[in-house]
C-alpha cells in the first residue's frame, strides 16, 4: 500500500476553468471542496500529482511566473489543511506543436509514473475532458470524470470514450469514493 497515488487534472477539477484561460493568480479560484478533498487524500496516505495542459503559455497569455504563482496559491491553501501535492507537471505547448505531453497524449502521466517510481496501472486519474480520459487509458490508469469544469459538456457529448468511466459530481465525491474503496 506504499504506492497509493492519485493523479488530477487541474482546471475544472481543482479550480474553476475558463474559456478565456486561467491567466493569473486572481483567476485561479478553487472549486468548492476541492482543497479539502486533496487534503483528505494526503491524510489517508495518498501521494497526489497534477497533470495539466497549459497552452496559454505557448499562446503568450501567461508566463511561467504566473503559473508558479497559481501553484504556490494551491500549495499554500492545501498546506493550511495539512495537505500536499507531490508533483505538478504541465504541458506548455500549443495544440499544433505535436509534443508528447499535451493530453490526450500520455507524456505527463508517464513522467509522473517515472518520477514517483509507480506503476500507473489502475491509478485513479481525475479529469473533466475526453483528453483526460484518453491519457488515462493510454497508460492503463483508471479514468474518473467530474461534472465540474468542462465535465457536463463532456458528458453531454455522449462520446463512446465515456463508456465505463466512473462519474461523480466533483472532486470531493471522487475522493469519497476512492477512500471508501
Ligand atoms: Mg480540465
Ligand atoms: Zn507538451
Amino acid at each position: 500500500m506504499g504506492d497509493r497515488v492519485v493523479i488530477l487534472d487541474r482546471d475544472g477539477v481543482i479550480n474553476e476553468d475558463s474559456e478565456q484561460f486561467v491567466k493569473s493568480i486572481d483567476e485561479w479560484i478553487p472549486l468548492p471542496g476541492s482543497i479539502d478533498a486533496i487534503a483528505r487524500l494526503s491524510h489517508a496516505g495518498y501521494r497526489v500529482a497534477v497533470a495539466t495542459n497549459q497552452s496559454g503559455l505557448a499562446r503568450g497569455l501567461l508566463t511561467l511566473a504566473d503559473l508558479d504563482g497559481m501553484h504556490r496559491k494551491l500549495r499554500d491553501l492545501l498546506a493550511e489543511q495539512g495537505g500536499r501535492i507531490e508533483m505538478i507537471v504541465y504541458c506548455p505547448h500549443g495544440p499544433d506543436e505535436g509534443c508528447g505531453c499535451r493530453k490526450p497524449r500520455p507524456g505527463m502521466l508517464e513522467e509522473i509514473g517515472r518520477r514517483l517510481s509507480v506503476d500507473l496501472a489502475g491509478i485513479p486519474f481525475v479529469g473533466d475532458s475526453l483528453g483526460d480520459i484518453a491519457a488515462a487509458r493510454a497508460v492503463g490508469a483508471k479514468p474518473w470524470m467530474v461534472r465540474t469544469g468542462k465535465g457536463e459538456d463532456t458528458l453531454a457529448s455522449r462520446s463512446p470514450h465515456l463508456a465505463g468511466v466512473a462519474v461523480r459530481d466533483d472532486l470531493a465525491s471522487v475522493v469519497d469514493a476512492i477512500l471508501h474503496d
Side-chain angles (χ1 to χ4, degrees):
M1 298 297 278
D3 268 350
R4 294 191 301 178
V5 171
V6 175
I7 307 175
L8 310 175
D9 174 40
R10 196 196 78 172
D11 298 332
V13 174
I14 302 174
N15 56 280
E16 292 179 4
D17 202 359
S18 168
E19 292 297 331
Q20 280 74 48
F21 294 85
V22 180
K23 302 178 293 299
S24 68
I25 297 176
D26 286 345
E27 291 177 3
W28 194 93
I29 300 165
L31 287 162
S34 70
I35 301 295
D36 176 70
I38 298 169
R40 286 192 288 130
L41 287 172
S42 295
H43 295 147
Y46 281 84
R47 304 158 81 191
V48 180
V50 172
T52 177
N53 284 356
Q54 292 297 325
S55 69
L57 289 164
R59 300 172 206 262
L61 297 172
L62 67 151
T63 65
L64 278 177
D66 296 322
L67 193 68
D68 283 345
M70 294 176 214
H71 294 168
R72 196 173 324 115
K73 182 174 181 179
L74 166 58
R75 291 180 189 283
D76 287 350
L77 289 170
L78 202 45
E80 288 172 13
Q81 303 201 34
R84 175 166 182 261
I85 288 175
E86 188 151 336
M87 184 181 309
I88 300 175
V89 180
Y90 60 88
C91 165
H93 306 111
D96 302 326
E97 292 184 59
C99 70
C101 40
R102 181 176 166 82
K103 296 173 287 186
R105 288 180 287 278
M108 288 191 287
L109 300 189
E110 289 168 349
E111 181 181 348
I112 288 168
R114 240 182 352 257
R115 286 169 58 188
L116 294 183
S117 298
V118 71
D119 180 1
L120 295 173
I123 295 283
F125 178 68
V126 188
D128 67 333
S129 71
L130 293 177
D132 296 320
I133 292 171
R137 290 220 164 106
V139 297
K142 174 181 166 63
W144 288 81
M145 274 283 306
V146 290
R147 295 181 182 278
T148 50
K150 296 184 171 68
E152 285 291 1
D153 286 346
T154 301
L155 290 165
S157 75
R158 300 190 172 277
S159 161
H161 297 294
L162 292 164
V165 174
V167 180
R168 294 291 186 280
D169 284 347
D170 55 17
L171 181 58
S173 304
V174 173
V175 168
D176 287 343
I178 289 172
L179 294 182
H180 290 115
D181 246 6

